[in-house]
Amino acid sequence: MSDATSSDAPAKQRLCRETLRKLPDNIRLPRYDVSRLKPGILHFGCGAFHRAHQALVTQRAIEAEGKEGMRWGIASASLVRTNTPDALRPQQGLYTLLERSAKGNHVEVVGSLAEVVHAPSDEKGMAARLADPETRIVTLTITDRGYFLDPSTHRLNVEDETIKEDVGQERPTTAIGSIVRGLELTRKAGHTPPVILCCDNLTSNGTTLRQAVLDFAALEDDGLSQWIEGNVQFPNTMVDRIAPSVTERDIEETDGILGVHDAAPVVAEPFLDWVIEDFDGPRPAWDKGGAKFVSDVEPYEIAKLRLLNGTHMLLAYIGSLAGYKTIAEAIADPLIKRLTERFMRSEQGPTVPVPHAQSEHYIDELLKRFENPAIHHEVGRVGRNGSLKLATRLLEPMRYNLAERRDTPCTILAIAAWIRGFSLLDTSGTAIRIDDPNKEEIYRLCRATRENPLLRAETFLEYDEVFGEGFPRQDKITGELAQALNNLHRYDLREVIAATLDETILGKRYAH
């Protein structure tokens, strides 16, 4: 996750501890002495979402605990880029959070980052930081790509070249390798290992991370793998907040509000949720900041992955084909909103393991969140890395629906729209740029199948990197995907959407 930062800082004072007292009275400030904060949490992935979500909840926890809370500062590490550390270090880890809604902005300075680290150049190193006995919690927001998972097994891809290079290294470059090396140091020192919390949108994210760590450890030392299995906790979590990428305009607006320069503000919607599987050992009072500790995270996770993240994918791919730039613009289109509601209530909703009334309430709330005009969530950013996300967000609920003999026309259209994006060319005849780790292979599949919809449908459904070996390849599904691909190629998108909703027959509108 990357953050926009200003390359040409205004000639004004910088946000820092010294300038906190100069900020306007309507800015909420940390209610503790940020200079006395000690790191007790190590975080992998110092991006916008982390700083709009966990870091804010941790700030509330520190405030609730008073003196005892000062041990829960965060050492937040960027694993690749220097942008965020370079922006935050002169600010002593301070940054502004703008909560945007139609009613206006709520502005707060967050001070829970006790240290900001660039992992590759950090003198201490991530493994040593993890093994420090003062580190009691480790959290991660490194996106799906950061876990190096095999899409068919959801276990560590031990054949990945980056993973192979990390094995046996004193300073691994991946989060998985760094965790294993840090736990090895912890074991040798005889310390109690930290609790490790995955905060990314993976199915059973704690369980999945645990298995990836065990797989990596087993490449080096079966004894270490067994020790981790018996001694380290990896609770499952669910995180929920929309935090779009920050623009130069956001930075300029923040500077105007503060009267000082903040090179790394973050933007978020007012809504925030964090559900954590209960675990043993010390923890911040996250529940005082809006988090929930529960015995079973799965119902919350499935509801969020399918209703929020799955719907985001539909809106991203359909919205992109329609020429919209943001999720809010896309859902403001009445036709796309009707498609979205049908998708959520008739296809995704029935697969969520919560009472119907609860699911319907969540859907109503999500529609309001998607429509928030103050949140500029770009469809390109929401739809990136689709080949890694389709399985949990669209294909798993589709498989459930097929087992229940329930039709999935909206899901089929979303998949077709995702494929269609890769087959489009710009005015120079060049493939439109899409951010996806498997884009070159997907471009190749599109070229190989030309505009033959049946061949393209068959080819993509056989693409195990995305659809997996267990995906049902029934003639009915192949035919429906081929028809959707054909329709998107031959007809206007609005007509295709209307036909999916049974509001038209392509080329001939129903008479009402």
Side-chain angles (χ1 to χ4, degrees):
M1 300 180 185
S2 62
D3 302 291
T5 56
S6 177
S7 56
D8 298 313
K12 62 172 66 173
Q13 287 185 297
R14 194 76 170 258
L15 175 64
C16 63
R17 295 169 191 166
E18 178 63 26
T19 56
L20 273 180
R21 56 186 175 83
K22 300 178 181 180
L23 300 184
D25 292 340
N26 61 337
I27 309 297
R28 189 188 189 282
L29 304 180
R31 297 173 183 175
Y32 51 91
D33 184 350
V34 295
S35 68
R36 300 182 64 187
L37 203 58
K38 302 296 182 184
I41 301 170
L42 176 63
H43 182 78
F44 288 77
C46 188
F49 180 79
H50 158 63
R51 293 189 291 121
H53 189 274
Q54 297 110 315
L56 176 67
V57 177
T58 301
Q59 171 143 298
R60 295 283 184 275
I62 294 167
E63 292 172 344
E65 290 189 63
K67 184 178 179 180
E68 288 297 311
M70 301 304 288
R71 60 181 173 153
W72 293 121
I74 303 170
S76 190
S78 174
L79 300 183
V80 180
R81 298 178 181 176
T82 62
N83 305 44
T84 302
D86 287 348
L88 286 172
R89 281 173 180 155
Q91 300 177 184
Q92 298 166 306
L94 298 173
Y95 63 91
T96 312
L97 170 62
L98 278 71
E99 291 184 358
R100 294 193 185 278
S101 72
K103 298 178 181 178
N105 292 331
H106 170 76
V107 185
E108 175 168 358
V109 173
V110 179
S112 56
L113 304 189
E115 287 188 75
V116 182
V117 176
H118 176 237
S121 60
D122 178 41
E123 183 177 343
K124 190 171 184 180
M126 297 298 286
R129 288 180 178 276
L130 186 149
D132 188 320
E134 297 301 314
T135 300
R136 307 307 309 140
I137 304 281
V138 174
T139 55
L140 300 90
T141 52
I142 56 175
T143 76
D144 308 52
R145 298 173 68 171
Y147 295 90
F148 297 92
L149 302 177
D150 184 313
S152 61
T153 64
H154 300 292
R155 293 182 60 164
L156 185 71
N157 181 4
V158 296
E159 297 302 319
D160 187 279
E161 289 303 319
T162 306
I163 293 297
K164 287 182 177 180
E165 291 172 4
D166 253 11
V167 174
Q169 296 296 321
E170 290 186 15
R171 289 182 62 113
T173 61
T174 67
I176 301 297
S178 297
I179 289 170
V180 170
R181 188 64 62 248
L183 291 175
E184 179 187 36
L185 295 175
T186 301
R187 179 193 183 200
K188 288 180 178 177
H191 299 151
T192 301
V195 175
I196 301 177
L197 294 172
C198 173
C199 298
D200 281 300
N201 291 317
L202 305 175
T203 301
S204 301
N205 58 9
T207 304
T208 299
L209 172 59
R210 176 179 181 270
Q211 188 60 59
V213 168
L214 294 177
D215 289 343
F216 189 101
L219 295 173
E220 299 184 341
D221 179 356
D222 284 337
L224 174 61
S225 182
Q226 292 168 7
W227 180 84
I228 294 172
E229 185 173 16
N231 292 276
V232 185
Q233 299 176 80
F234 294 84
N236 291 306
T237 72
M238 186 281 290
V239 294
D240 190 357
R241 188 172 222 195
I242 297 172
S245 56
V246 174
T247 65
E248 290 292 337
R249 185 175 178 179
D250 293 322
I251 294 174
E252 291 170 4
E253 181 181 358
T254 304
D255 287 1
I257 293 170
L258 299 181
V260 298
H261 177 52
D262 182 352
V266 290
V267 175
E269 63 172 337
F271 182 90
L272 184 151
D273 200 9
W274 190 7
V275 182
I276 306 167
E277 184 179 4
D278 211 357
F279 60 86
D280 296 327
R283 68 187 71 170
W286 281 326
D287 52 319
K288 301 293 179 63
K292 293 188 282 285
F293 289 96
V294 302
S295 59
D296 184 8
V297 172
E298 186 178 34
Y300 300 90
E301 171 204 309
I302 292 175
K304 193 256 182 170
L305 276 173
R306 297 181 183 177
L307 290 174
L308 188 153
N309 300 120
T311 305
H312 255 167
M313 296 190 81
L314 176 138
L315 283 167
Y317 304 136
I318 296 294
S320 177
L321 293 183
Y324 293 117
K325 298 297 184 184
T326 69
I327 295 296
E329 289 175 358
I331 204 165
D333 184 318
L335 184 61
I336 294 179
K337 183 175 181 180
R338 291 200 296 277
L339 177 73
T340 301
E341 285 206 63
R342 175 77 66 83
F343 173 71
M344 297 175 82
R345 298 190 195 280
S346 300
E347 297 183 26
Q348 299 290 84
T351 74
V352 173
V354 299
H356 178 72
Q358 185 177 335
S359 174
E360 287 293 301
H361 176 72
Y362 186 42
I363 290 170
D364 291 340
E365 289 299 308
L366 282 173
L367 289 168
K368 294 176 185 176
R369 293 168 62 191
F370 294 152
E371 292 169 347
N372 184 347
I375 295 295
H376 302 288
H377 213 184
E378 297 176 356
V379 295
R381 183 175 178 84
V382 172
R384 67 182 181 174
N385 303 333
S387 66
L388 302 180
K389 298 174 180 177
L390 281 175
T392 56
R393 304 179 188 193
L394 295 183
L395 302 183
E396 282 187 10
M398 183 179 178
R399 186 182 290 109
Y400 181 96
N401 281 322
L402 292 175
E404 295 294 316
R405 300 183 182 278
R406 189 181 296 115
D407 288 336
T408 59
C410 301
T411 308
I412 290 286
L413 183 60
I415 296 169
W418 173 70
I419 295 172
R420 179 69 180 163
F422 285 95
S423 66
L424 296 178
L425 305 176
D426 63 21
T427 54
S428 69
T430 304
I432 293 174
R433 179 171 178 172
I434 297 176
D435 189 357
D436 192 288
N438 295 304
K439 62 184 178 182
E440 295 306 324
E441 176 62 12
I442 298 171
Y443 285 139
R444 188 192 69 78
L445 294 179
C446 287
R447 290 193 300 270
T449 56
R450 300 181 181 273
E451 289 297 344
N452 183 325
L454 182 58
L455 178 60
R456 181 165 287 177
E458 291 172 340
T459 300
F460 270 87
L461 289 175
E462 291 294 331
Y463 182 34
D464 288 341
E465 190 73 21
V466 174
F467 290 88
E469 296 180 2
F471 189 78
R473 295 169 175 83
Q474 307 163 0
D475 290 344
K476 179 176 183 291
I477 297 303
T478 304
E480 289 177 353
L481 181 57
Q483 185 64 59
L485 289 166
N486 180 65
N487 290 346
L488 289 174
H489 176 58
R490 294 184 58 194
Y491 299 107
D492 178 77
L493 176 64
R494 302 187 68 78
E495 286 291 309
V496 176
I497 296 173
T500 302
L501 295 171
D502 296 324
E503 295 178 357
T504 69
I505 296 176
L506 286 175
K508 180 180 179 182
R509 191 169 294 279
Y510 281 126
H512 290 287

